[in-house]
Amino acid sequence: MTQTKSFFLMLAAVGVLAAPAARAQQPSPQPKPEETELWQPVPVVVTPAETPNAPPSDAIVLFDGKNEDEWISAQDHTPAKWTVADGLLTVAKSTGNIETRRHFHNYQLHVEFRIPANITGTGQGRGNSGVFLASTGPGDAGYELQVLDGYNNSTYVNGMVGSIYKQSIPLVNPARKPGEWQSYDVVWTAPVFNADGSLKTPAYVTVFYNGVLVQNHFELKGETLYRGKPFYKAFDGAAIKLQAHGDKSEPMSFRNIWVRELP
Ligand code: MG
């Protein structure tokens, strides 16, 4: 027997090499399930609509087919002069953009639109409108979710339907044919500014287009500018604006517009 081997045999004999398995396990204290239960604040009861896409009980209805009382001219704040007929709100291009009388911060928005079946034109000149998620003033670009014919209509992809204009390409293109009704469901988180006008937190947007996710919590880089790189300009609360685009294609229509303000 070597010296080493006998040394280990000796250790084994006195139990030094025995596994510590026999040592008693102290049970670790289990947290009680109640410790992670919250009972306050209780969410407000909201009655969902009976039919899909109809406003739930806490929505502010911006257009229900009857009148455009919730809308004013974005240029001079006189009453909106788009055409209300047959339950539709149709763009009257010569009267310019319209925006909500009310101002909003963070919200959920539902809006339906229809590119006319007889639409003509190409690219950005084919059924162009827009939902400006924050209209910050007549001279400002604001924050545009593009409306455009996207059914076999080629254009720059960061300016196609479902894009955040010139900032974010939609994830997919679920456009319906001209003549069919389409919908946007939007969650808008407004940007927040410090007292000195600098950006505190950016804007975020999530968009479902015809029920399909096309913008997933996208962080905006500022207003959606036609020319140049986007940047932020401070504002606090803003109208929602619909675009009367200057192209020559047939005017498009909106219906069933409602918004829910979020805390
Ligand atoms: Mg547009």
Side-chain angles (χ1 to χ4, degrees), residues 113-130:
F113 60 93
R114 186 179 66 184
I115 313 284
N118 63 344
I119 191 74
T120 59
T122 57
Q124 294 287 309
R126 187 178 169 86
N128 198 330
S129 182

Side-chain angles (χ1 to χ4, degrees), residues 86-115:
D86 302 325
L88 311 183
L89 176 64
T90 299
V91 181
K93 292 193 187 188
S94 63
T95 70
N97 301 332
I98 63 170
E99 66 182 29
T100 54
R101 289 181 188 280
R102 303 173 198 247
H103 284 191
F104 304 96
H105 290 89
N106 306 323
Y107 59 78
Q108 172 189 353
L109 173 70
H110 177 84
V111 52
E112 297 175 22
F113 60 93
R114 186 179 66 184
I115 313 284

Side-chain angles (χ1 to χ4, degrees), residues 1 12 16 29-30 35 39 54 56 58 87 98 119 124 128 133-134 139 146-147 153 158-159 166 175 189 197 203 233:
M1 196 179 285
V16 174
Q30 282 274 60
E35 288 171 18
W39 288 74
D58 64 344
I98 63 170
I119 191 74
Q124 294 287 309
N128 198 330
L133 304 168
Q146 177 68 299
V147 172
N153 179 35
N158 59 349
K166 289 199 171 169
T189 303
K233 209 158 73 177

Side-chain angles (χ1 to χ4, degrees), residues 20-27:
R23 212 175 291 157
Q25 290 286 317
Q26 291 296 322

